[in-house]
Amino acid sequence: MAGLLIKNGRVVDPASNLDAVRDVLIENGKIKKVGVRVKGVGVRVIDAKGKLVLPGLIDMHTHLRDPGRPDKETIASGTRAAAKGGFTTVCCMANTEPAIDNPAVVKYVSDTAKSDGIVNVFPIAAVTKGLKGEKLAEMGLMLEAGAVAFSDDGQPLMGSALMRKALEYARQFSVPVISHCEDKGLSHNGSMNEGALSTAIGLPGFPALAEELMVARDTMLAAEFGQVHIAHVSSANSVELIRRAKRRGVPVTCETCPHYFSLTESAVKEYDTNAKVNPPLKTPKDLKAVIRGLRDGTIDAIATDHAPHNIEEKNIEFNSASFGMVGLETALALVLTKLVATKALTLKKAIEKMTVAPARILNLNKGTLKVGADADVIIVDPGAEWTVTPSQFASKSRNTPFSGWKLKGQVIYTIVAGKIVVRDGKLL
Ligand code: DOR
């Protein structure tokens, strides 16, 4: 494979505290040099003047629906959506059919990613058999088979004793349990945030407390028994609970998703099922608290919770529709438009939350442009404005509430282990 020389781009590598115009030389799938006036012999040169050169993004929370739901997504289509969105690594959740709850399914995902995928895929294994919240899955064996963390995401672990055991077990391997915080008794049949709006439009409420109670429980359990990572944080009280736990030294990390800092519950006012997510979109006060949490470091990472669903599960009555929205192809532009352009976060901080932060949480040797690192790199045109057009998604699903939105920041190149997989914004 010929080398690549990316010249004159604004290189932002939070892991090495770098934000400057530099050249990046890639050889044999690795970062060979980052500097000024770098020369390469027999390499292909890309002029990145006026563009951002970033470590490939890492999504620590993706639903690839493989095995089992090729109508919604496959590893082939999901990794293409990832590449288009600037993600060179995705960590895929275990709520597949069958679930990723034994070493054979972990191996199926890894093998299929190698044969059909175009970005790196790391499976997250189920905590319990069949995500039923009853018996622990074969956690150690699944790590040996290549899983990087544990989660029953999509379902909470309602049993506190079971959560304790999972944390204790995962701690032996220095990996986190990723918690989908939802008290099922409280969320019950709710389909949107409980409050004045749910009452006014007649939809059953899913109270913020359903998330917050479990954040409180899991941070308390983590203080005693192991390392917890809270998935998709959406509420002001959750952010505050995590902030206080971190101050006490509790081993807790967390993520939020672009929809929680880009939308509020009013997005479901016209019964748009594409804005129906779990946890539900909340109030402007919650949105502000999420942004404050990102700013002060309470929220470590930004993940997509890419949750593809087909039209049969979305184009129906609100209460019956599935929770979730696709996110891989809009996440970076939402971050650039809603957080960086508004100066809520510096570019370096924002990129940190999509690269080295998830890499650290999941012990992945990725997310940086340091010499010797895997050459997972993206080139982004920060000024390019584009309109979200779901029919152009590489994902098999179209369930986004951002259709028609004008966003800033377009991925021009995606490079995985030195190989170009997206050029001029198009999949190769
Ligand atoms: O909205 C969601 N969709 N939240 C989850 O936790 C699960 C996900 C899914 O799998 O569809």
Side-chain angles (χ1 to χ4, degrees), residues 63 65 95 153-154 180 232 276-279 305 307 309 323-324:
H63 296 274
R65 308 289 191 225
N95 62 342
D153 181 72
H180 169 117
H232 41 53
K276 179 177 176 182
V277 273
N278 183 349
D305 197 1
H309 288 297
F323 288 100

